[in-house]
Every structure is written in structure tokens, then in C-alpha cells.
Amino acid sequence: MTATGIAPVLQSRFSPLRFDSDHQLSEADVAILLEAARWAPSAGNSQPWAFHFRRRGDAGHAALVDHLAASSRRWAPQASALVVNLAQREVDDSGIEYSEFADYDLGQAVAHMTVQAHSMGLACRQFRAFNLDALHDTMRVAPGWQILTMTAIGVAADDDQPIPRHRRSITDLITAGVAPPDHDTTDQPRRA
């Protein structure tokens, strides 16, 4: 069940299990998606993100597919594009932290791209089922940067419709992760 009142683009978003292998992303589509990510908020406006964006059929796409795990190889190659999402954690190879919030900020940028994609009639599926070390070496990732995830972007296959999704309750969202308030301990001995 989705609560009413949230933006329709958020309410109807879903991660497809299969993509339409005939759909092609235009250069203009790619530019809009990257522009949406570019405008995401980040700590101190550090913008510690980068995207290795390869459309199906473009040079470099096959290299990404080569490093997919068996589980993602079943569906990801059919997406219109695969995007490698990178965060800048350090300043070059100095060991000096670039941003302690790099992973969080990358997540914000990917979320912006995802919502923009959905508003354009596209769908995204985030995943981490790939050989990280081999992909890192193949891409010759610059010092200080780290691959975190990939995003498959395209149009959901006609036979892939959203299934009912379970989401944690609002109550759980605001109470999880913190200890419950202490009980009255006035009658109990204090610890030294």
C-alpha cells in the first residue's frame, strides 16, 4: 500500500526485472539524466560522484557486461544503458579523505537520476552483482575513486509490471535504529 499525498513519480516508480531490448536511449535522454544527477545536493557542494554511462551497443558496453555476475547477466544487458556509479572518497592517492559523505552523496545523485528517469517513462534498477575488482581494473579507475554500484536504465519489458511492494511502516522508520527510552529505574540500584 502506498500512502496518498506523495508525488506520483515516486508512488509509481519500480525496479523492473526485465527490460525492453529494442528500446534505445538518445543522447538527449542521457544528457537529461546526467543533468538531474548533477543537481543533487552534496556535503559542502563537494559533488563527489561520477558516472560511467554506456548505452547498449556503444563502445565499452560489452566490457561492462563481461563483469556482470550470473544473476544480473540474465537481465541487465537488455537495458538501454548500464551506468557505473563512482564516489570520490580520497584526494587522488594521498590517503586524505575527500568527503566523509561521498557514498551518501553519490546515493543522492543516483536517486535524482532514478526519479528523473521515471518521469521520462524510463525505469532503473540498482545493483551490485558484478565483479568489483575486475571492473575497477578494466575501467582503470582513478586514484581516490571507488565503484559502488551500477544502474540499469531503460524501458520495462511489456510483460514486466510492478508487483505489490512491501515497505516498512512509518512507525518503524522513526523508531528503528535507536534504543527505546529508559524505563523508570528509581527503585533499582544504580550501577557504579
Side-chain angles (χ1 to χ4, degrees):
M1 302 228 357
T2 304
T4 58
I6 67 170
V9 69
L10 295 173
Q11 187 172 1
S12 60
R13 186 213 57 79
F14 79 106
S15 300
L17 297 172
R18 289 175 303 285
F19 287 91
D20 178 352
S21 60
D22 292 327
H23 179 265
Q24 298 289 326
L25 279 180
S26 69
E27 288 288 339
D29 292 335
V30 172
I32 291 168
L33 293 169
L34 291 171
E35 187 70 9
R38 193 168 78 91
W39 284 97
S42 62
N45 197 27
S46 58
Q47 303 172 49
W49 51 66
F51 304 98
H52 183 77
F53 207 115
R54 293 294 178 261
R55 294 181 301 170
R56 190 181 58 251
D58 284 354
H61 183 269
L64 299 183
V65 171
D66 286 345
H67 297 300
L68 297 178
S71 59
S72 57
R73 194 180 290 259
R74 291 192 305 261
W75 55 268
Q78 287 72 44
S80 302
L82 294 175
V83 184
V84 179
N85 306 312
L86 301 100
Q88 185 177 11
R89 291 180 169 167
E90 295 180 355
V91 177
D92 301 320
D93 58 357
S94 66
I96 298 170
E97 191 172 58
Y98 178 78
S99 171
E100 67 179 303
F101 304 106
D103 294 3
Y104 177 85
D105 290 343
L106 172 63
Q108 290 254 35
V110 171
H112 274 60
M113 185 185 300
T114 298
V115 172
Q116 178 64 44
H118 191 68
S119 76
M120 296 165 60
L122 302 168
C124 295
R125 184 176 181 96
Q126 315 297 330
F127 65 102
R128 177 41 192 92
F130 54 87
N131 184 326
L132 178 62
D133 293 334
L135 185 58
H136 187 277
D137 292 345
T138 296
M139 288 179 53
R140 298 183 317 206
V141 173
W145 289 85
Q146 179 65 47
I147 298 169
L148 270 70
T149 59
M150 289 178 72
T151 305
I153 302 175
V155 170
D158 287 339
D159 62 347
D160 191 3
Q161 298 301 315
I163 57 173
R165 298 178 289 174
H166 170 74
R167 291 292 188 245
R168 293 168 42 208
S169 71
I170 298 279
T171 301
D172 189 39
L173 292 179
I174 62 175
T175 60
V178 295
D182 291 336
H183 296 283
D184 183 10
T185 58
T186 54
D187 293 334
Q188 298 176 9
R190 290 182 167 238
R191 290 186 175 193

